[in-house]
Amino acid sequence: MNIILLSVIALSIILITGFVFLSVQNGYLNYSSSERKTIIEKPSMILNKENPIKVGILHSLTGTMAISETAVADATLMAIEEINDRGGILGREVVPILKDGKSDWSIFALEAKNLIVEDKVSVVFGGWTSASRKTMKPVFEEYDHLLFYPIQYEGLEKSPNIIYTGASPNQQVLPAIDWAYENLGPRFFLVGSDYVFPRSVNEIIKGKVHELGGVVVGEEYKLLGEENFKDVVDKIVESKPDVILNTINGDSNCSFFNELRQRGITPKVIPTISFSIAEDEIKIIGAEKMAGDYAAWNYFQSLDNKYNNDFVKNFKKKYGEDRVVDDPMESGYVGVYLYAKAVAMAGTDDISIVREKLKGLTFHAPEGAVGIDPQNQHLTKVVRIGQILPDGQFKIVSSSENQIKPNPFPDYKTEEQWNEFLDNLYKGWNENWANPGTVSVIQK
């Protein structure tokens, strides 16, 4: 190995690991005196293209989930481009291979296998719905590979082959119920898409509401892609909740909020807290329809710090000033940098070695300091609740301020009971992670 190549590798390690050093005290991440910024913005460097690091990106670019997932793929690609501009990883070019999951869980599993076996990628970034993750999980475990999953989810899972960069229930859903009970009222109506995430989250929510002394006045589900929500809104009107808790995913949200507004249910009448709607979906649904409602996340575009300001500026420069960023996009972006930092520390993209380096790894993300819990491979995060403004951005109305350690298995059941609950869902859907029924489409 010649001196030039050694210099390239050393500089790459400095760049990737030099974003920030953090210490962990009492379960929370805290800044240490050794924190420092990236040294070089855009060094002039020749990448090693003969021996690239191939990475897979697997998201729904078509179908009902494209409304959300396409933007996550964009943010992931931007992170890869930034890393290549700074010299790649270990001097090697990072080459993305983009696949379309087509909002079909079986295709996610198939394409995950293709990326691992045929394309021979070193890692995969992807998935949105828990149905897609659940179908991919056995593939990554069979091949002892590595998936970065960027979406908040129901928890009830941990795998040595998955890094969960989105929130677990105690970092999104449960704090939102506490806030809603205190600020909006004790009567909750639950509405969600009919697959494993909403069903599981609502089971968790019911445990929390019971603990608080509140009441669930209704619980309804619709298939992914559903457009007809008249019957659901009828029941909302009849039950008179203080707040609607929304776990609908994908473009069905457009139909749901259209129906709410047509029936005169505005945020002033009955507010909605959404767990899968962020700035990008609001832009498509229409901020004028959403202003006044709420969402619970760990990241909002409106956060004012240097790391986020740079992230937003760079994204808009690359994709257009009219574009917005949101929590799942930021989580996808952060996942790439965590992976790059781990590879640089390992000195190799060997998956088994990289997985070990990821345990306990920290990073200063646009959302703030995050770190991978070595016990369950979820991130430590700050919890935030935002109210939607007329411009489609969020005013933060509540923040944990401190980072919250992830707890994928809420205490309302034992881990064994949660696994039994999931197993019953899976068997009830004919060994699927989503209701395989037929969608009722409104005739237009």
Side-chain angles (χ1 to χ4, degrees):
M1 189 178 293
N2 61 38
I3 294 174
I4 294 175
L5 183 55
L6 283 171
S7 300
V8 167
I9 291 173
L11 181 56
S12 179
I13 292 173
I14 290 169
L15 290 173
I16 296 300
T17 60
F19 286 102
V20 66
F21 289 98
L22 301 168
S23 62
V24 183
Q25 298 176 1
N26 301 322
Y28 297 106
L29 293 169
N30 297 284
Y31 300 109
S32 72
S33 60
S34 58
E35 180 179 2
R36 53 195 174 93
K37 299 184 293 182
T38 303
I39 300 169
I40 302 174
E41 290 298 320
K42 277 200 172 186
S44 177
M45 186 179 293
I46 298 175
L47 286 174
N48 180 353
K49 298 187 177 184
E50 298 300 317
N51 184 28
I53 296 176
K54 293 190 290 185
V55 303
I57 301 175
L58 178 50
H59 282 294
S60 295
L61 309 179
T62 56
T64 189
M65 292 307 305
I67 185 176
S68 298
E69 292 191 61
T70 302
V72 182
D74 288 343
T76 305
L77 287 165
M78 184 179 84
I80 292 169
E81 182 179 285
E82 288 177 353
I83 288 168
N84 280 333
D85 284 349
R86 291 167 178 155
I89 307 175
L90 303 175
R92 297 164 64 186
E93 181 183 23
V94 182
V95 176
I97 299 174
L98 181 63
K99 301 283 187 178
D100 182 5
K102 300 182 180 179
S103 305
D104 184 320
W105 329 133
S106 61
I107 291 178
F108 270 90
L110 176 64
E111 292 292 9
K113 182 176 180 179
N114 288 339
L115 284 166
I116 294 168
V117 176
E118 296 182 6
D119 297 307
K120 300 189 184 306
V121 299
S122 297
V123 65
V124 176
F125 304 95
W128 179 292
T129 68
S130 287
S132 69
R133 189 194 68 259
K134 288 286 191 184
T135 59
M136 290 190 290
K137 179 174 174 280
V139 177
F140 284 92
E141 291 177 343
E142 177 185 354
Y143 290 97
D144 200 24
H145 216 272
L146 181 61
L147 170 68
F148 277 76
Y149 177 67
I151 311 302
Q152 97 306 338
Y153 82 120
E154 71 279 0
L156 316 184
E157 179 180 300
K158 57 182 178 181
S159 170
N161 301 94
I162 302 176
I163 302 294
Y164 305 83
T165 60
S168 59
N170 71 308
Q171 298 170 314
Q172 187 205 29
V173 174
L174 293 177
I177 306 308
D178 280 326
W179 182 86
Y181 182 85
E182 181 71 25
N183 292 276
L184 301 177
R187 295 169 56 82
F188 298 87
F189 193 102
L190 317 182
V191 57
S193 301
D194 204 5
Y195 72 101
V196 63
F197 165 67
R199 288 278 184 176
S200 301
V201 160
N202 284 340
E203 188 72 9
I204 294 167
I205 286 172
K206 286 183 285 186
K208 182 64 173 179
V209 170
H210 176 75
E211 178 182 86
L212 292 171
V215 58
V216 173
V217 299
E219 181 178 0
E220 295 293 324
Y221 298 92
K222 288 287 188 175
L223 299 178
L224 282 160
E226 179 65 70
E227 295 182 7
N228 188 350
F229 285 88
K230 184 179 184 304
D231 57 335
V232 173
V233 175
D234 284 343
K235 292 175 182 178
I236 292 172
V237 171
E238 182 181 349
S239 62
K240 298 181 174 61
D242 294 314
V243 59
I244 301 163
L245 302 180
N246 172 30
T247 51
I248 296 169
N249 273 252
D251 54 14
S252 293
N253 275 297
C254 299
S255 301
F256 175 63
F257 280 96
N258 282 339
E259 187 67 33
L260 283 178
R261 300 308 181 244
Q262 287 172 13
R263 299 292 296 277
I265 300 178
T266 66
K268 289 184 178 180
V269 177
I270 306 173
T272 298
I273 301 178
S274 294
F275 298 107
S276 293
I277 290 180
E279 289 90 337
D280 203 51
E281 290 82 7
I282 291 167
K283 190 172 184 293
I284 295 170
I285 297 169
E288 69 282 358
K289 295 177 186 174
M290 303 289 295
D293 278 329
Y294 301 89
W297 292 104
N298 311 107
Y299 168 87
F300 292 110
Q301 180 180 311
S302 56
L303 287 174
D304 186 15
N305 65 66
K306 180 188 184 307
Y307 299 93
N308 185 49
N309 293 340
D310 288 346
F311 172 57
V312 174
K313 180 183 71 174
N314 292 341
F315 187 87
K316 287 179 175 291
K317 181 179 179 180
K318 180 173 176 60
Y319 292 109
E321 286 296 321
D322 61 327
R323 292 289 300 274
V324 295
V325 293
D326 61 25
D327 183 291
M329 297 165 69
E330 190 259 2
S331 289
Y333 177 88
V334 168
V336 178
Y337 274 99
L338 284 168
Y339 173 74
K341 185 174 179 180
V343 173
M345 292 172 65
T348 175
D349 62 339
D350 180 278
I351 294 168
S352 61
I353 300 174
V354 171
R355 285 213 310 259
E356 286 302 310
K357 293 297 182 183
L358 283 163
K359 293 179 180 180
L361 197 63
T362 59
F363 179 70
H364 202 301
E367 68 185 78
V370 298
I372 300 175
D373 188 311
Q375 302 303 315
N376 55 45
Q377 304 200 145
H378 294 66
L379 295 193
T380 304
K381 287 174 168 282
V382 171
V383 183
R384 297 176 172 100
I385 298 168
Q387 185 172 33
I388 303 169
L389 298 171
D391 64 356
Q393 291 297 307
F394 283 89
K395 177 179 72 174
I396 297 172
V397 297
S398 177
S399 172
S400 67
E401 300 301 333
N402 291 322
Q403 293 83 6
I404 304 300
K405 289 186 68 176
N407 177 17
F409 292 90
D411 297 334
Y412 305 112
K413 299 181 191 289
T414 66
E415 189 169 332
E416 182 180 353
Q417 289 171 328
W418 282 123
N419 288 333
E420 183 180 357
F421 170 82
L422 291 172
D423 189 54
N424 288 337
L425 285 179
Y426 183 70
K427 290 176 178 176
W429 289 325
N430 298 320
E431 298 189 344
N432 284 284
W433 288 110
N435 188 332
T438 304
V439 173
S440 169
V441 179
I442 297 173
Q443 297 298 315
K444 297 180 179 179

